[in-house]
């Protein structure tokens, strides 16, 4: 078994392996195993489509998975808080849910849609 010489580039944090007289990036499997939900997937597609240089940098450095998982968790929590605050401000309560479930569902659907638009504008497509 032949061992290839490795080189570490401190400018970009990548390790390189000499293969057939060329130094190729030694890409590693991602260590962060947290799932990426809806918000992380949306941001990933945004990065791939509109910010490809940033996407490639994050991918090659091994930070993409962690950043997407963090963003997904933060966006989900922020969306939950926005929905809670809007429902409280608009008087949408558990009592309304018990007395007029159709109106409650309509109101909560509207609130969820508005909250998701806020999350997309503030965190996903920026």
């Amino acid at each position: 078994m032949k061992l290839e010489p490795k080189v570490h580039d401190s400018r970009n944090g990548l390790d390189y392996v000499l293969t057939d007289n060329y130094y190729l990036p030694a890409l590693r499997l991602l260590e962060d195993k947290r799932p990426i939900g809806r918000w992380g997937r949306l941001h990933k597609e945004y990065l791939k489509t509109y910010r490809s240089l940033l996407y490639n940098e994050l991918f090659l450095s091994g930070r993409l998975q962690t950043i997407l998982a963090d963003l997904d968790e933060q966006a989900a929590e922020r969306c939950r808080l926005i929905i809670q605050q809007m429902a409280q401000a608009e008087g949408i309560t558990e009592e309304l849910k018990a007395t007029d479930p159709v109106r409650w569902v309509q109101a909560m659907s509207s609130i969820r849609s508005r909250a998701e638009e806020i999350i997309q504008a503030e965190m996903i497509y920026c």
Side-chain angles (χ1 to χ4, degrees):
M1 176 179 202
K2 182 180 173 186
L3 294 175
E4 269 71 25
K6 282 190 175 183
V7 175
H8 180 75
D9 187 347
S10 60
R11 292 174 292 170
N12 62 16
L14 291 177
D15 292 326
Y16 292 86
V17 176
L18 182 62
T19 306
D20 296 328
N21 296 323
Y22 295 101
Y23 281 100
L24 301 175
L27 301 177
R28 300 175 297 279
L29 292 176
L30 303 172
E31 295 178 15
D32 195 340
K33 300 295 182 197
R34 290 180 294 164
I36 296 174
R38 173 184 180 211
W39 301 115
R41 288 190 308 269
L42 285 173
H43 191 62
K44 181 179 179 181
E45 286 305 312
Y46 168 77
L47 291 175
K48 283 172 107 174
T49 305
Y50 298 104
R51 308 279 310 273
S52 59
L53 291 176
L54 177 59
Y55 173 82
N56 288 329
E57 177 189 336
L58 294 173
F59 178 76
L60 291 173
S61 69
R63 297 180 301 156
L64 181 64
Q65 180 78 12
T66 300
I67 287 173
L68 293 175
D70 288 345
L71 179 117
D72 188 69
E73 291 170 3
Q74 292 167 7
E77 179 62 18
R78 176 129 167 78
C79 189
R80 187 189 67 74
L81 289 172
I82 291 171
I83 289 170
Q84 183 181 31
Q85 291 170 350
M86 288 177 143
Q88 184 178 15
E90 295 177 21
I92 310 302
T93 63
E94 290 296 314
E95 183 180 320
L96 177 64
K97 183 179 181 179
T99 59
D100 193 352
V102 173
R103 184 168 164 241
W104 182 86
V105 167
Q106 290 171 337
M108 289 305 289
S109 293
S110 172
I111 288 170
R112 176 170 291 283
S113 294
R114 288 180 279 151
E116 289 175 355
E117 286 180 22
I118 291 169
I119 297 301
Q120 288 174 4
E122 290 181 354
M123 300 179 77
I124 306 303
Y125 302 126
C126 58

